[in-house]
Amino acid sequence: FLTMDKRDNKTPRIRFPEFKEDWEHKKLSDLLQVSKKKNKDLKYSKEHVLSVSGESGIVNQIEHMGRSYAGVSVHNYGVVENGDIVYTKSPLKSNPYGIIKLNKGLPGIVSTLYAVYKVKEDSADGEFVEHYFSLDANTNRYLRPLVRKGAKNDMKINNEYVLHDRIYSPQKAEQKRIADFFNTIDEKIKLLLNKKQLLVEYQKSLLKKIFNKNIRFNDDKEKQFPKWELKKYNEIYSFYTTNSLSRDKLNYKEGTVKNIHYGDIHTKYSTLFDVSKEKVPFINNEIDLSRIGQENYLQEGDLLIADASEDYKDIGKTIEVISVNNQKITSGLHTFHARPNKYKMAVGFSGYLLQTWKVREQVMKIAQGSKVLGLSKNRLGEIELEIPCFEEQIKITKFLSETESQITMVESQIVKSKLYKKSLLQQTFCY
């Protein structure tokens, strides 16, 4: 069990009670040494090139990114064996000076944009080093004084010099104990992520079977509902006016009206949008809202469609509003606002319907543009949708939302586990 340590020195705020020695201010070179092993014999090919990801760690580049980005020759690439530490000399949003990760998988090679280090087995545990640098604050604080950035935002730092500064570290036995503890938390998070993925795949399978009508529902008298009707989009939905406010006209602190930005539809919001569960910005108070008609504020059952995207996967991505929680919300830049006021639709059903491949395929076909894809309301209005009767819509929505609730619950567990881990990391490694 972890206990609080109140001594006034650089030992952590919490630690395992069996360890009493003070942590030492060690040079990173006391824990790691530069690996100079190169791929001179071409033992590894382009298929063995590794990438370093902030989220996934050290992974095969082709598996992670879909293809190899290796140069013409890989003979000068650095060899990364299992248990090696890799520092990537390229900036990330949260890590402007690069990241430091441990290779827990198969050996491979990395380009000269990476530095490779061997762990000094007599004094260091590689997993301890990785957990230390898993905190952005630690990585940035350590690398900032060492790294010079070039004109192209590239890192100007010698591989040896990366090891020049110091971190506080205990003896190896305590390092190993700490690493094992955080590995246990990581394993729990991994299991939760796998569980979420299985639920997502299960939901996709259900969607496919239901909307291909391989699964049908019966009414309360155990009779099958009527055949589904074929309707055009514009026979169900009417379009309403949206605004063109950019991000700089929005804030997360104060306001009377909230605004949904198309970028958040792409990246943040759930298919079934409940404003009480989402972080939505306000329109700045100085913006004149008098031109927004009452009918243009979102209602339950309304759809918000992203009408612009850089790829086909997200063009026309749609969310359905299932709760506005008595708040005023509008739809903004690069969005369409559609309301099912021509045909009776169960709240939540459209959100599932518009995820299906039959609909997505039609949306991708009508998208136009080269660098940025766009949609028009007229062409969207011609898309064909197969619609069950209202009563079957309700049953389908209830059935699918049960799986959605399970996914949401697991997502919440993942967030809590990650916050728990971060809190413990901060109390172990931050001073």
Side-chain angles (χ1 to χ4, degrees), residues 106-120:
L106 295 173
I109 50 176
V110 291
S111 79
T112 53
L113 290 174
Y114 301 84
V116 184
Y117 302 97
K118 294 287 182 186
V119 177
K120 292 186 175 181

Side-chain angles (χ1 to χ4, degrees), residues 13 44 158:
R13 290 181 59 201
Y44 300 101
N158 179 278

Side-chain angles (χ1 to χ4, degrees), residues 67 73 84 107 155 164 249 251 266 338 341 420:
R67 70 180 183 90
S73 173
D84 286 352
M155 307 298 179
H164 183 74
K249 301 294 191 297
N251 76 91
H266 284 311
N341 55 5
Y420 172 67

Side-chain angles (χ1 to χ4, degrees), residues 11 27 88 133 157 200 252 268 286 323 404 409 426:
T11 53
K27 272 195 170 186
T88 172
F133 287 110
I157 184 168
V200 169
Y252 285 95
K268 288 172 56 176
E286 69 270 15
S323 173
E404 191 87 28
M409 181 181 69
Q426 289 171 335

Side-chain angles (χ1 to χ4, degrees), residues 3 32 52 68 74 175 180 184 206 219 225 247 262 270 311 319 330 334 343 383 387 399-400 409 412 431:
T3 59
L32 308 176
V52 182
S68 173
V74 294
Q175 291 180 36
D180 288 345
T184 301
L206 288 178
D219 62 20
F225 286 112
R247 286 278 192 194
Y262 80 103
S270 301
D311 56 54
I319 61 175
T330 65
H334 289 307
Y343 189 85
I383 283 179
I387 311 295
F399 183 68
L400 290 172
M409 181 181 69
S412 176
Y431 310 102

Side-chain angles (χ1 to χ4, degrees), residues 18 34 151 248 347:
E18 65 265 34
V34 175
D248 61 348
V347 172

